[in-house]
Amino acid sequence: QRLKAAVHYTVGCLCQEVAEDKDVQFSKQSIAAISEITFRQCGTAGLPRCFLMLCRHAKRTTITADDVKLLARRSNSLLKYITQKSEELASSNMEQKEKKKKKSSAAKGEKTPGEQEAAVTENEDSNMA
């Protein structure tokens, strides 16, 4: 029920955006119908089965972002949106990994390459004096 409510809310938000952009209005009944169709299409009979078939075809057991992009290829705007979000997530994950790496090396007392260079330069300067 919570998932269905979340789908209805999201469809309502999207309809509101379209209404503002295209200067049209959506009735509550049309939003409810779009929500129901979306929920049913994405339910057990729709997308999960397609994802499962894609994974089996590729001899994998994990659904990847590429699988989602493949199913979204018919809608250029949806594909563009999914690709953008996928890239944002990948970038965010890389940043998180870098932060963890820096924290773990700092906890071990190791210096980052930039800190090592600064220490070497500082050492060289003191030797020259």
Side-chain angles (χ1 to χ4, degrees):
Q1 284 292 54
R2 287 177 38 183
L3 179 60
K4 198 170 193 176
V7 169
H8 183 75
Y9 174 78
T10 303
V11 167
C13 291
L14 291 171
C15 287
Q16 186 177 0
E17 284 181 30
V18 170
E20 291 170 2
D21 286 348
K22 305 294 182 185
D23 197 30
V24 295
Q25 291 185 349
F26 289 88
S27 68
K28 290 181 180 180
Q29 293 84 1
S30 64
I31 293 172
I34 294 168
S35 298
E36 187 64 29
I37 291 168
T38 303
F39 187 77
R40 286 186 184 180
Q41 183 62 34
C42 295
T44 57
L47 291 177
R49 181 182 291 161
C50 293
F51 288 133
L52 183 60
M53 290 182 348
L54 285 170
C55 284
R56 285 184 181 165
H57 178 73
K59 296 178 178 58
R60 289 184 280 108
T61 57
T62 304
I63 296 170
T64 65
D66 290 335
D67 296 327
V68 177
K69 291 176 193 175
L70 188 61
L71 286 179
R73 72 187 181 276
R74 291 186 187 131
S75 169
N76 287 334
S77 59
L78 180 60
L79 180 60
K80 184 177 177 181
Y81 178 79
I82 290 173
T83 302
Q84 176 187 358
K85 288 297 178 184
S86 175
E87 290 170 357
E88 287 174 12
L89 285 171
S91 174
S92 175
N93 287 341
M94 291 298 288
E95 289 174 9
Q96 292 291 335
K97 286 181 183 178
E98 289 296 322
K99 286 180 183 177
K100 285 182 181 178
K101 191 183 285 186
K102 286 180 182 178
K103 284 183 181 178
S104 67
S105 58
K108 292 178 184 176
E110 299 173 5
K111 294 182 179 176
T112 63
E115 291 171 338
Q116 289 174 351
E117 276 184 38
V120 168
T121 306
E122 198 175 289
N123 221 6
E124 289 173 351
D125 289 345
S126 64
N127 287 340
M128 292 179 139

